[in-house]
Amino acid sequence: MTPETDGSDVDRPETKRFSDHLRERSDPAFSEAVEHPFVADLGAGTLDPDAFAAYLVQDYAFLDALVGTFGFAVGEAPGIAAKRPLIEFLDVVTDAENDYFERSFEALDVPADRYVDPERTETTEAFIDLLGRAAREGGYAETLAVLVPAEWIYESWALAAVEAHADPGTDPPSDGAGLPFYYAEWIDLHATDSFRSFVGWLRGQLDSVGPELSPPRRRRVERLFSRTVELEVEFFDTHYPGDRSGSGGV
């Protein structure tokens, strides 16, 4: 985990976006997540479908906690204008994304008793606990500190997959890659203009509150952001059926 700072830089004029500062502090883990062979193989269509099915089961188990954390963010957001994008995103997650999961489980022969109440991996449990603690023990800034990296990483690897294997100007983004729908739509969900716009807005929310944080809260936000990134890498590691050190990346 990224070491705590002594807070000596808190009062200095900001020379970069706060979210960029947090991303830099989280490297090399952030880059490892974006370039992980799990998502590289997913984008190329060479990922083992059984590995992807196991991954989706755990991601689905994580969905309730994610929705709850976004719901908390809605309550903490400063005003209606800030609440609306969060509510709209929740609508996508609970409608289109949930529909995607159900169709993908059917196509991948995952029975309902496997994904309705699955045995969670240690990483999934750690992720759920982190989301809960960010909401229970903090406020809007702490909640954004886990939501921003989680969504930003997915936007980043999905865009990399599109650039490597499809025409970035197509709609949907993965069009032309010749992927099974459960790979193609998972990429598309995280590479559309609307999702990219939402991630940019979410980063902007964190940028707006970060510089005003007290030194202790700023350190807490830095720790939460970095821990989220570490868990994203662990999540991909858990489901990658090979040695990721031998992959060439996206």
Side-chain angles (χ1 to χ4, degrees), residues 91-194:
D91 185 58
V92 172
V93 171
T94 56
D95 186 8
E97 189 164 324
N98 189 66
D99 175 70
Y100 160 82
F101 275 109
E102 292 178 352
R103 289 184 293 107
S104 295
F105 286 141
E106 182 177 3
L108 291 163
D109 294 323
V110 179
D113 60 4
R114 183 179 167 193
Y115 65 80
V116 170
D117 186 22
E119 181 178 351
R120 298 169 179 167
T121 67
E122 290 183 8
T123 303
T124 302
E125 291 283 11
F127 232 138
I128 291 172
D129 178 69
L130 183 70
L131 286 170
R133 285 192 292 110
R136 291 192 307 270
E137 301 172 10
Y140 193 48
E142 287 81 3
T143 306
L144 291 171
V146 296
L147 296 179
V148 167
E151 304 303 334
W152 194 3
I153 284 171
Y154 270 63
E155 176 203 25
S156 298
W157 71 249
L159 290 177
V162 169
E163 290 170 0
H165 304 291
D167 181 352
T170 59
D171 183 19
S174 69
D175 190 38
L179 300 173
F181 86 84
Y182 42 82
Y183 291 157
E185 290 188 25
W186 193 236
I187 294 169
D188 293 338
L189 280 167
H190 302 101
T192 59
D193 288 343
S194 60

Side-chain angles (χ1 to χ4, degrees), residues 13-21 24:
E14 294 294 332
T15 58
K16 66 183 69 173
R17 294 181 64 173
F18 186 59
S19 56
D20 283 333
H21 161 75
E24 289 179 8

Side-chain angles (χ1 to χ4, degrees), residues 19-102:
S19 56
D20 283 333
H21 161 75
L22 295 174
R23 175 172 178 165
E24 289 179 8
R25 283 181 57 88
S26 72
D27 261 333
F30 197 104
S31 296
E32 290 174 2
V34 172
E35 300 167 3
H36 199 285
F38 180 93
V39 292
D41 289 357
L42 191 165
T46 58
L47 183 66
D48 180 352
D50 289 339
F52 188 64
Y55 157 87
L56 281 186
V57 167
Q58 293 299 312
D59 199 277
Y60 195 64
F62 169 75
L63 194 61
D64 275 351
L66 183 67
V67 168
T69 303
F70 267 105
F72 179 82
V74 170
E76 293 291 308
I80 297 300
K83 296 179 189 297
R84 185 176 297 111
L86 295 166
I87 293 170
E88 291 173 351
F89 182 72
L90 277 172
D91 185 58
V92 172
V93 171
T94 56
D95 186 8
E97 189 164 324
N98 189 66
D99 175 70
Y100 160 82
F101 275 109
E102 292 178 352

